Amino acid sequence: MTATSPARTLDVASIALVAGPALELHGAGDAPETLELVGARLRMRATVSPATIAPAAVTIAAVTPSSTGWRATIPLLASRWGGPALAPPSGNYRLVVDGAPVSAIADTVPAAQLVPGLFRFAVRAEQGDLVFAFTPPLADDEHGSANQARLEAEYRAARPEPLEAVFFESFYGRNASCNPLALDRSLAATRPDLARYWGVADASVEVPDGAIRLVEGSAEWWRVRAGARLIVINDWLRNRYRSR
């Protein structure tokens, strides 16, 4: 997001991560018409309305009027290009109100937490502003440098029997495309008995029908990459790869 010097400060009474998953924001005073979380690769939008103002003509997110001000719900799963609903791409997001960045403060924010299979989420203050951080959904025993060092040591020491499986990766796990996708489609048609795994950067990456998503750094990612009989990539396996 382009750095600016916002003149407006948005006072948020509370922020909560609710079922959906979604972010629910409560505020007092005048409500903006639109509120968005904006990151480098995605915009997540909610319409916002106080009790005395009708909702906007196009309601993108669920809005419930509040007797004390306004409440906005921002869904955190979104379909892109008509595909399945996916998690946000990993990164930092900031609030944009009525199309302009604002400085935002909140009295109550949710604790850092894992939404299994989707993302890890945290809200932090950065120079007096709020940063909404989404990272890959690694479990507590997978997350962090110490756990990754342990999983890598186990991977290097392992001598597994070959799995009747194919491990695919495209452009460092950022998507499922290019030659690996063509080979995946061919193998799905000719060898339906083979398990097809895709290594991905996070849960925002869509994988082909019938394939299994493996988030990079997860225990299953380490296990399958060590044992898969066939590895198909269009980049390079980086220095953590050990040839069997």
Side-chain angles (χ1 to χ4, degrees), residues 61-218:
V63 177
T64 303
S66 169
S67 60
T68 58
W70 55 267
R71 179 169 69 185
T73 302
I74 304 178
L76 297 178
L77 302 186
S79 174
R80 296 183 279 282
W81 305 107
L86 297 170
S90 296
N92 294 331
Y93 294 74
R94 284 179 165 81
L95 287 170
V96 168
V97 171
D98 296 340
V102 298
S103 177
I105 57 175
D107 297 331
T108 305
V109 300
Q113 57 194 284
L114 168 68
V115 180
L118 294 175
F119 50 76
R120 299 184 76 95
F121 172 75
V123 182
R124 68 177 187 269
E126 190 173 279
Q127 297 180 338
D129 201 0
L130 294 176
V131 175
F132 298 77
F134 293 85
T135 54
L138 297 179
D140 290 343
D141 61 354
E142 300 167 338
H143 179 65
S145 57
N147 282 321
Q148 285 301 299
R150 172 181 54 80
L151 289 167
E152 181 174 356
E154 293 172 357
Y155 159 77
R156 294 192 177 279
R159 296 296 183 269
E161 289 293 322
L163 300 173
E164 293 302 317
V166 186
F167 176 94
F168 294 93
E169 185 181 281
S170 175
F171 298 114
Y172 309 106
R174 295 171 187 160
N175 56 44
S177 65
C178 197
N179 293 326
L181 178 59
L183 290 167
D184 173 281
R185 288 171 172 167
S186 179
L187 286 171
T190 60
R191 288 293 307 274
D193 57 305
L194 287 177
R196 295 176 290 113
Y197 295 91
W198 278 83
V200 297
D202 57 30
S204 73
V205 179
E206 183 180 359
V207 300
D209 289 343
I212 301 167
R213 178 189 290 114
L214 296 177
V215 173
E216 181 175 351
S218 65

Side-chain angles (χ1 to χ4, degrees), residues 24-71:
E24 189 170 89
L25 289 79
H26 292 251
D30 294 336
E33 291 185 3
T34 62
L35 185 148
E36 297 172 284
L37 274 184
V38 178
R41 298 167 55 198
L42 187 70
R43 302 175 74 94
M44 293 175 280
R45 174 178 292 184
T47 51
V48 186
S49 177
T52 56
I53 299 178
V58 178
T59 301
I60 300 172
V63 177
T64 303
S66 169
S67 60
T68 58
W70 55 267
R71 179 169 69 185

Side-chain angles (χ1 to χ4, degrees), residues 8-24:
R8 179 176 178 179
T9 298
L10 183 70
D11 291 319
V12 182
S14 67
I15 301 171
L17 185 63
V18 299
L23 282 177
E24 189 170 89

